[in-house]
Amino acid sequence: MKTFSATPADIEKKWIIIDAEGVVLGRLASIVAMRLRGKHKASFTPHMDMGDNVIVINADKIQLTGKKRSDKNYYWHTGHPGGIKSRTAGQILEGEHPERLVTKAVQRMLPGNRLSRKQMTNLRVYAGAEHPHEAQAPEVLDVKSMNSKNTRS
């Protein structure tokens, strides 16, 4: 028996919508990363973009466990000497772009190569409940009901 390796003609992409309200960030990110890579499919091929298109709504209502809201820092560098800057997860959630928290979490759960950068283009994250992808007829994936640990009150 030969090992199956998918070709571009074999790839079938779906659209999935996930409501992030009340869901723990890390658990959501791992599910989204798995869907983006296509590891949930029996025909998974590591070198092909097999994953689905994922829409995450209500990213501003994501939950963090423990004291991560105040203790977890995100760093970046301006490029100038002494230009390291940081923000806490709480500051990002309360700021202008709370969806960046989800995007970074998913990005860091994917391998750091060209294929994962291509797969990240299949992720759309929105802070509110509105999104412009109704025409794609996305299927709803209920992350809350998958495991009782996925939610925080």
Side-chain angles (χ1 to χ4, degrees), residues 1-146:
M1 184 171 174
K2 296 207 174 190
T3 303
F4 174 77
S5 184
T7 61
D10 299 330
I11 296 172
E12 187 177 321
K13 288 181 168 278
K14 293 192 297 188
W15 283 79
I16 293 170
I17 187 164
I18 298 174
D19 188 2
E21 186 174 356
V23 180
V24 177
L25 176 62
R27 287 175 169 268
L28 173 80
S30 65
I31 291 167
V32 170
M34 182 185 68
R35 291 283 172 161
L36 284 175
R37 282 206 74 197
K39 292 192 103 175
H40 63 288
K41 297 180 180 180
S43 61
F44 171 68
T45 306
H47 65 277
M48 299 292 294
D49 183 9
M50 306 267 320
D52 296 332
N53 292 289
V54 181
I55 304 163
V56 179
I57 58 172
N58 291 324
D60 56 343
K61 297 182 179 93
I62 199 92
Q63 293 296 316
L64 296 164
T65 58
K67 296 196 295 182
K68 289 190 192 93
R69 192 175 280 273
S70 60
D71 290 354
K72 186 171 178 63
N73 287 311
Y74 289 86
Y75 296 97
W76 71 97
H77 199 281
T78 62
H80 294 284
I84 190 127
K85 296 193 175 225
S86 69
R87 280 204 185 111
T88 65
Q91 289 172 329
I92 295 172
L93 278 175
E94 293 157 8
E96 284 185 34
H97 303 285
E99 62 273 0
R100 289 181 184 167
L101 212 61
V102 176
T103 306
K104 267 297 178 202
V106 172
Q107 178 187 349
R108 289 171 178 177
M109 288 194 182
L110 293 173
N113 56 24
R114 278 174 279 180
L115 180 60
S116 67
R117 288 191 288 276
K118 167 101 169 50
Q119 289 166 342
M120 279 298 290
T121 63
N122 297 328
L123 174 66
R124 281 108 177 146
V125 184
Y126 299 100
E130 301 296 318
H131 65 89
H133 305 288
E134 291 299 328
Q136 282 74 27
E139 297 177 16
V140 176
L141 182 67
D142 191 13
V143 176
K144 292 179 185 177
S145 66
M146 286 180 171

